[in-house]
Amino acid sequence: MKTLIFAAMSAMLFVGTAAAPAQISVGIGIAPACPYGYYDYAPYNCSPYGYYGPDWFNGGLFIGAGPWYHGRSGFYGHVDNRYDPRNGYNGPTPARGARPFNHFQGNEARDGRGNVGQANHDAGREHSAGVQRGSSHPR
């Protein structure tokens, strides 16, 4: 009888651990090399021209997003979330060397980790400060 109880309990333990969710680990390597930055959520695909406002660029280089964010603490920069696939965007992404934008239409402010908040300036006053390109690492 003890053997039967032990076998039943062992089987229940095995079934219980087999049904438990597996642990997943994700290694973060080099940031995506995208001409106008990359989305701030996995899988970190390249974002289209005009998604990020000029305040996301330092010296023309993207300051990063998600695990590769290299901006200052407390930063909230404007994005145009109409170019976000989570909001239905399925249009093209720009090729390298596309012309800089001077007509940014920001409608949301986010920090480097994708959290929505308030920027300390108005998106309507943002204009391109020259060629803007994405990079894995800002200067």
Side-chain angles (χ1 to χ4, degrees):
M1 183 70 165
K2 288 182 182 179
T3 304
L4 183 59
I5 292 173
F6 178 75
M9 294 198 57
S10 296
M12 288 180 6
L13 180 62
F14 177 75
V15 170
T17 57
Q23 290 184 349
I24 299 172
S25 71
V26 177
I28 301 298
I30 297 172
C34 300
Y36 300 105
Y38 44 87
Y39 291 111
D40 50 15
Y41 55 89
Y44 305 105
N45 293 327
C46 292
S47 62
Y49 189 61
Y51 175 75
Y52 287 106
D55 49 346
W56 285 90
F57 297 85
N58 183 6
L61 297 175
F62 184 56
I63 63 172
W68 303 282
Y69 175 67
H70 298 291
R72 67 186 185 277
S73 177
F75 168 80
Y76 279 89
H78 289 99
V79 299
D80 186 343
N81 69 12
R82 293 172 292 190
Y83 291 115
D84 190 330
R86 296 179 299 186
N87 292 334
Y89 180 75
N90 62 0
T93 57
R96 292 182 183 272
R99 292 184 354 195
F101 58 87
N102 288 308
H103 58 278
F104 179 68
Q105 303 292 317
N107 61 0
E108 185 173 86
R110 294 188 185 167
D111 67 4
R113 306 286 184 218
N115 300 307
V116 176
Q118 294 293 320
N120 61 2
H121 61 284
D122 180 25
R125 293 183 306 200
E126 293 181 22
H127 298 286
S128 171
V131 175
Q132 306 206 357
R133 60 193 184 279
S135 174
S136 297
H137 302 285
R139 285 187 233 169

